[in-house]
Amino acid sequence: MTVERTRSRGDEDFSGQAGTALRRFMRTEAGSAGILVAAALLALVCASTPLSGGYERLWAMPLAVRLDGHGLDLSLREWVSDGLMVVFFFLVGLEVRRELSVGELTDRRRTLVPLVAGLGGMVVPALLYLALNHDGAAARGWGVVIGTDTAFLLGMLALVGPAVSTQLRIFLLTLTVIDDIVAVSVIGIAYTDAVHVGALVVAAVALAGIVVLARADVWRSGAYIALVVVAWLATVYSGLHASIAGMVAGLLIPATEPLRSQVEAAAQQFRVFRQSPLPGLQRRTRAQLTRTISVNERFQASLHGVTSYVVVPLFAFANAGVDLRGGVLGEALTSPVTWGVVLGLVVGKTLGITAGALGATRLRVGRLPEGVGGGHVLGGAALSGIGFTVALLIIHLAFDDAALQRDAVVGVLLSVVVASVLGRLAFALSARFLGQRDAALPTRLSRPVDPARDHVSGPADAEVTLVEYLDFECPFCAKATGSARQVREHFGDRLRYVVRNLPLDVHPHAELAAVAAEAAGRQDCYWPMHDMLFAHHDELELEDLAGYAGDLGLDVERFLRDLQDEDLARRVAEDKASAGESGARSTPTFFVGERRHEGPWDAATLIAALEADAEAPRAGRGARTRR
């Protein structure tokens, strides 16, 4: 399953580094990989021992849900594959929509290389499979080799990949967006025999209803859930696989950044409740807090654990069971279907993704994320050959013959082992011979603080230094200004506080505001303008800036001339470049001393980090004295 764009903070507590939600998502998926392996092994044990009969009877057991003669009559395995797995694909759609709206995929330039790599990672595997299985019923299995199981991929990356692989993970998650969308499309188009038009119209109306709810800014989740259920039922009746309904429904549910006005309203409501903790106020307070987080992200927070630890492992337990007794394994190992799957997933994914990514960078279509090298791409491409979940689902749609299903499942299970070993080998070789070890952003300040150039508050030789990269149009930078003020009050002359510009592309007035602050600095009024801009972060038009200059008593004509000065624009650009070289991708980003601070940026956390930084040299001196 799928995936940090350069953006303002928008996580639940509004205090983590950008990408906190993405990192939490990756930890959840990686943690579920072990359960997934256990479920698959348990299925093999059950299917290949005297438990085999009971295992098959369990999943063939019929379960009907009817109301007035109408309903669904499916086997237990079908309820898992066509029912519970809809939650999995719904979550895929939610994550893709979030990344397109407020995440990594908002910067379309960053998607070009993963896009080309993702396409290569589907076309080459399909062609290699068809080279061995070009006709007959076996040819229908080409879709088995196009998908990647992100849960398994991230789990293996944590085990065999670089010690720090944040940037590589983001690249792979962006790439698997392509896999997810195409794989679901293949399921719906290539493996659908007949379609009931009336039911399909009902599904389309339900999905259109989700769009209407989103346009009307409906924030309660109940109405969305009802429409998703209707879309699912109608899709099942239409003859299409229900994964289509889940994926499309997730894509239609909006994801937005929390608005500062909503956050402030929730804070005010909470203060009212604290003064009068009554049941009515409790309901209103909870509703106000809930409204600050988009429906999309609330669904994700609710469903990630259930999907990762229950739905997907249950699907694996239902579908990975192959009876390997009586020479069946030997027969499978001589089948072109088995080796077509292994060739497609292991060789095809490795070649297709690596060639696509490196070819796109060589042709300057785009570039790899900072910190990711060719060896990292090769290792990640090899691990992408783990196509477990979607591959198992497509196997049971592509093949009616039990023997072909068995051979394909054996191929998928072999691919998990071979791809994991190949990925481990690629990472080890790239670390040894190419020096490509960690695949992460830089963590140290690329340009030391220069009191003659930087804007510094506090003594130049202060005990501790706090550097902030900021964006004057970012509402969370405005919030962080209060945190920084408390930190400065706590340390007094012990602290040197430095600010640098990082105007984000998503904020149209941020660059002009940064130049305005620099222009005010030429009249020895940088810090008053700094405070003024944050006090009016949502009013940064040219006439607003001129008004602020007048309010501060500046020479307005000189100020307006300086706004056109290329030297000031170049200074802002240099700050922005140093931010990129230092691993700052969002605002606000803080550096404690020369090391990038990761985690919350509330005053208490920053104070603790600075105190620890101040204590480190003293501890070192004490140790040397004792020696």
Side-chain angles (χ1 to χ4, degrees):
M1 228 185 68
T2 55
V3 152
E4 148 182 356
R5 80 172 163 107
T6 303
R7 65 185 180 97
S8 301
R9 298 303 196 278
D11 298 319
E12 286 88 336
D13 63 356
F14 312 110
S15 59
Q17 284 278 31
T20 298
L22 181 60
R23 291 196 298 273
R24 184 173 59 252
F25 165 75
M26 293 189 292
R27 285 197 300 269
T28 301
E29 292 299 315
S32 71
I35 299 178
L36 201 55
V37 171
L41 291 176
L42 182 60
L44 285 173
V45 170
C46 290
S48 303
T49 64
L51 297 172
S52 176
Y55 174 81
E56 288 301 327
R57 285 194 300 274
L58 170 67
W59 294 114
M61 183 185 304
L63 178 61
V65 177
R66 295 186 177 277
L67 181 65
D68 193 26
H70 300 282
L72 293 177
D73 190 354
L74 305 172
S75 69
L76 200 55
R77 179 178 281 116
E78 289 172 329
W79 276 107
V80 172
S81 299
D82 295 348
L84 288 181
M85 283 299 286
V86 173
V87 181
F88 170 84
F89 287 105
F90 178 58
L91 195 56
V92 170
L94 290 170
E95 182 64 22
V96 172
R97 175 60 184 269
R98 182 192 178 280
E99 294 303 318
L100 286 168
S101 299
V102 297
E104 178 70 14
L105 303 185
T106 53
D107 187 347
R108 301 299 187 253
R109 295 169 298 181
R110 297 187 183 185
T111 67
L112 293 177
V113 173
L115 173 62
V116 175
L119 292 175
M122 290 181 291
V123 173
V124 175
L127 291 177
L128 289 178
Y129 176 87
L130 289 172
L132 293 184
N133 302 276
H134 53 273
D135 56 14
R140 283 177 54 84
W142 61 270
V144 173
V145 298
I146 66 173
T148 295
D149 189 315
T150 312
F152 249 138
L153 168 65
L154 294 177
M156 291 311 302
L157 183 63
L159 291 173
V160 306
V164 182
S165 56
T166 309
Q167 290 296 90
L168 178 59
R169 289 182 176 190
I170 292 172
F171 172 78
L172 293 174
L173 285 170
T174 306
L175 182 151
T176 55
V177 169
I178 314 302
D179 271 4
D180 291 333
I181 294 175
V182 174
V184 173
S185 301
V186 166
I187 291 171
I189 298 172
Y191 297 115
T192 297
D193 297 323
V195 175
H196 187 285
V197 177
L200 201 58
V201 169
V202 174
V205 171
L207 294 172
I210 294 176
V211 175
V212 172
L213 292 178
R215 292 285 179 87
D217 198 26
V218 175
W219 59 274
R220 295 185 184 277
S221 57
Y224 291 96
I225 293 173
L227 289 174
V228 171
V229 171
V230 171
W232 164 64
L233 287 170
T235 304
V236 171
Y237 275 107
S238 75
L240 287 174
H241 194 272
S243 60
I244 291 288
M247 180 76 161
V248 175
L251 284 169
L252 294 176
I253 294 180
T256 58
E257 295 277 18
L259 298 176
R260 192 182 186 195
S261 59
Q262 292 177 341
V263 175
E264 295 299 336
Q268 177 62 32
Q269 181 64 44
F270 183 80
R271 285 193 288 269
V272 172
F273 172 71
R274 187 171 61 177
Q275 294 171 355
S276 302
L278 301 174
L281 287 176
Q282 180 266 341
R283 287 191 296 270
R284 286 198 292 273
T285 302
R286 186 167 65 178
Q288 192 70 54
L289 287 169
T290 299
R291 191 168 187 170
T292 61
I293 306 300
S294 70
V295 179
N296 182 298
E297 296 199 80
R298 280 187 274 130
F299 273 137
Q300 288 191 60
S302 300
L303 296 177
H304 268 311
V306 173
T307 302
S308 299
Y309 293 106
V310 179
V311 172
V312 175
L314 191 60
F315 171 81
F317 182 55
N319 290 277
V322 176
D323 191 344
L324 301 177
R325 295 172 296 178
V328 169
L329 180 59
E331 292 177 12
L333 293 178
T334 63
S335 168
V337 171
T338 300
W339 293 111
V341 171
V342 174
L343 185 66
L345 284 173
V346 177
V347 179
K349 286 285 185 183
T350 303
L351 292 179
I353 291 174
T354 303
L358 300 184
T361 56
R362 182 67 59 89
L363 295 173
R364 298 187 178 179
V365 172
R367 61 184 182 181
L368 294 171
E370 188 173 355
V372 175
H376 296 139
V377 173
L378 180 63
L383 293 183
S384 297
I386 302 173
F388 193 79
T389 304
V390 176
L392 291 179
L393 179 60
I394 294 179
I395 285 171
H396 291 85
L397 297 174
F399 301 125
D400 295 323
D401 184 87
L404 292 179
Q405 290 184 2
R406 175 205 64 200
D407 295 344
V409 171
V410 171
V412 169
L413 297 177
L414 280 174
S415 298
V416 172
V417 177
V418 177
S420 300
V421 173
L422 185 60
R424 176 70 183 95
L425 180 62
F427 286 125
L429 292 176
S430 65
R432 179 165 184 173
F433 295 106
L434 301 178
Q436 296 175 358
R437 293 176 174 82
D438 291 350
L441 289 172
T443 59
R444 301 193 71 83
L445 201 62
S446 67
R447 192 183 73 213
V449 173
D450 180 2
R453 181 192 183 280
D454 285 311
H455 299 290
V456 180
S457 174
D461 58 349
E463 181 181 1
V464 290
T465 298
L466 180 66
V467 180
E468 177 184 359
Y469 281 94
L470 53 78
D471 175 321
F472 287 109
E473 198 173 355
C474 167
F476 298 103
C477 284
K479 181 181 178 66
T481 299
S483 298
R485 187 177 296 113
Q486 293 178 51
V487 173
R488 292 156 69 186
E489 291 172 353
H490 173 85
F491 283 96
D493 288 344
R494 294 174 58 206
L495 175 70
R496 179 176 61 169
Y497 174 58
V498 183
V499 297
R500 291 178 177 174
N501 299 294
L502 179 52
L504 303 180
D505 294 339
V506 294
H507 294 146
H509 307 98
E511 192 151 351
L512 180 60
V515 175
E518 297 296 339
R522 284 188 170 178
Q523 300 186 46
D524 298 323
C525 201
Y526 177 84
W527 291 105
M529 180 61 81
H530 166 280
D531 296 341
M532 180 73 78
L533 292 174
F534 275 133
H536 304 278
H537 70 273
D538 53 351
E539 298 174 307
L540 298 175
E541 299 288 349
L542 180 60
E543 55 269 27
D544 297 320
L545 300 177
Y548 304 148
D551 293 343
L552 293 173
L554 302 182
D555 181 335
V556 177
E557 290 187 8
R558 178 187 173 188
F559 173 81
L560 293 175
R561 285 196 305 271
D562 286 339
L563 288 182
Q564 309 301 319
D565 192 324
E566 291 185 0
D567 287 343
L568 293 185
R570 190 178 302 112
R571 176 186 176 121
V572 172
E574 290 172 354
D575 276 2
K576 193 171 182 178
S578 75
E581 295 165 358
S582 305
R585 292 292 184 274
S586 58
T587 56
T589 293
F590 290 94
F591 285 77
V592 174
E594 294 187 348
R595 184 167 294 278
R596 179 158 49 86
H597 172 72
E598 298 189 22
W601 34 259
D602 60 282
T605 301
L606 290 175
I607 288 170
L610 287 163
E611 291 287 11
D613 187 60
E615 185 64 29
R618 289 195 292 267
R621 288 194 298 270
R624 288 192 297 271
T625 300
R626 287 191 295 274
R627 286 198 297 269

